[in-house]
Amino acid sequence: SLVKRKEIVSMIIKFLIILGIIYAGILLFFYVFQHYFFFRPEVLPHDFQYKYPFPFEELHFKMEDGGMINGIHFKIPNALGVVFFLKGNSKSVKGWGKFAKDYVGKGYDFFMVDYRGFGKSKGRRSEAVLYSDAQFLYKKLLEQYDEDQVVILGRSFGSGIAARIASWNNPKMLILDSPYYSFNFNMKRWGFWIPIDLLSRYKIPTFQFLKNVNCPIHIIHGDKDRLISYRQGVKLYEENEDRATLYTINGGSHNDLPEFSEFHEFLYDILVEQVYESA
């Protein structure tokens, strides 16, 4: 009957309204708390003592806005240059510092910092702040090294920041370890039902930054990476074939690349063999 039809239509409308309210609530929750989705920091007390099996210096940088960046700098005699390592979105340099051996062992000094809110670093974090902090630190390195001795290396989340800094400067080379095409591009793989472009405070368009990078670009990616798909590394390579080289770790996923001998062979080729060949 007509009455029943009206009741059904009314129920459907009420259901859609409730569904809309729930969806809007989810979007609001995502917008407000997205830092908790994107970042998994390990916070360290100011008096925490780093311990590594080789010499290093702990550094503190006071930023103009009142923030503070904490980092570690490993140095060796007669270094070929320095690797400025921009890390992933989890933990702190406490654990990430172990990767210094992969670069110190190949003849390079190694410099790594924690983003704001990670480790001992303090202050408000945003996409613009991440870029400006990294640029400030890059300029600090130039007080000790010639620019053609600086290698910028971005790992995972840090790959987009590394690309931004390389686009503003003239480093020796840019190495991208498991990079994303853009931060939003990668997020859409998981949050395809959310208007990411509208709500995300972190765009980080790596592909756009690479258009303005003039140094050699080396992309290392595992073809079984489920967190940041291998396809993204391939896309970055294909759009920059004149300056880029793609190194594929067959069977490599997102967090296990250093366990593959090919990873270290690629790094040796990039950092040592090609350097001597071009000398």
Side-chain angles (χ1 to χ4, degrees):
S1 68
L2 185 60
V3 174
K4 285 187 176 180
R5 287 180 181 177
K6 286 183 177 180
E7 289 178 351
I8 292 172
V9 170
S10 177
M11 289 176 61
I12 292 174
I13 291 173
K14 287 180 181 178
F15 174 76
L16 291 176
I17 290 173
I18 293 171
L19 201 62
I21 292 172
I22 292 173
Y23 182 65
I26 291 173
L27 296 186
L28 179 62
F29 181 84
F30 171 80
Y31 181 76
V32 173
F33 296 104
Q34 60 187 265
H35 281 272
Y36 296 97
F37 292 100
F38 296 161
F39 302 101
R40 299 187 301 279
E42 174 186 33
V43 179
L44 300 174
H46 184 72
D47 59 355
F48 179 84
Q49 298 293 312
Y50 296 116
K51 295 180 181 179
Y52 302 105
F54 28 89
F56 69 95
E57 178 184 7
E58 181 179 355
L59 300 170
H60 302 273
F61 301 93
K62 291 184 178 179
M63 313 308 286
E64 289 185 358
D65 64 354
M68 191 276 290
I69 299 296
N70 173 258
I72 48 178
H73 195 172
F74 298 84
K75 291 185 176 181
I76 60 173
N78 305 313
L80 295 170
V82 61
V83 172
F84 180 16
F85 189 99
L86 291 151
K87 68 182 197 65
N89 67 335
S90 65
K91 302 183 180 179
S92 72
V93 298
K94 171 189 172 184
W96 283 88
K98 65 185 178 183
F99 295 111
K101 67 180 185 299
D102 295 336
Y103 305 93
V104 170
K106 294 173 180 64
Y108 284 79
D109 291 345
F110 183 84
F111 178 65
M112 175 196 290
V113 299
D114 265 322
Y115 308 123
R116 299 188 187 206
F118 288 71
K120 300 181 186 182
S121 295
K122 309 294 182 184
R124 292 178 63 86
R125 183 176 57 244
S126 69
E127 181 174 350
V129 165
L130 287 168
Y131 298 150
S132 62
D133 284 352
Q135 176 68 4
F136 172 87
L137 296 165
Y138 183 87
K139 293 300 183 183
K140 281 293 181 182
L141 284 176
L142 297 187
E143 295 175 5
Q144 301 179 52
Y145 303 90
D146 292 334
E147 193 163 21
D148 63 3
Q149 291 182 300
V150 179
V151 175
I152 301 178
L153 194 158
R155 156 74 188 161
S156 188
F157 175 76
S159 60
I161 304 168
R164 170 79 282 186
I165 303 309
S167 73
W168 282 341
N169 302 281
N170 295 291
K172 184 181 191 67
M173 68 179 79
L174 170 65
I175 303 175
L176 302 178
D177 178 347
S178 308
Y180 44 82
Y181 188 72
S182 79
F183 192 72
N184 279 0
F185 181 95
N186 191 58
M187 287 302 300
K188 288 174 186 175
R189 297 174 58 234
W190 310 102
F192 56 88
W193 51 280
I194 294 175
I196 294 291
D197 289 331
L198 214 61
L199 300 179
S200 174
R201 299 177 191 176
Y202 295 87
K203 315 299 182 186
I204 317 185
T206 309
F207 71 98
Q208 288 186 6
F209 298 153
L210 292 187
K211 294 175 183 178
N212 296 313
V213 172
N214 296 314
C215 67
I217 302 166
H218 302 279
I219 301 169
I220 305 174
H221 216 135
D223 65 356
K224 301 300 181 184
D225 192 333
R226 293 183 179 179
L227 186 61
I228 300 178
S229 62
Y230 173 65
R231 180 168 67 97
Q232 296 181 66
V234 172
K235 281 172 67 67
L236 292 175
Y237 162 68
E238 291 177 344
E239 293 180 9
N240 300 277
E241 286 190 55
D242 58 326
R243 288 156 295 130
T245 305
L246 176 64
Y247 304 82
T248 301
I249 307 290
N250 293 313
S253 58
H254 192 70
N255 294 315
D256 65 354
L257 298 191
E259 298 174 16
F260 288 78
S261 60
E262 293 96 326
F263 178 77
H264 300 282
E265 291 167 4
F266 290 153
L267 283 181
Y268 186 82
D269 178 57
I270 294 166
L271 294 170
V272 182
E273 289 190 359
Q274 292 185 30
V275 169
Y276 281 117
E277 287 174 1
S278 62

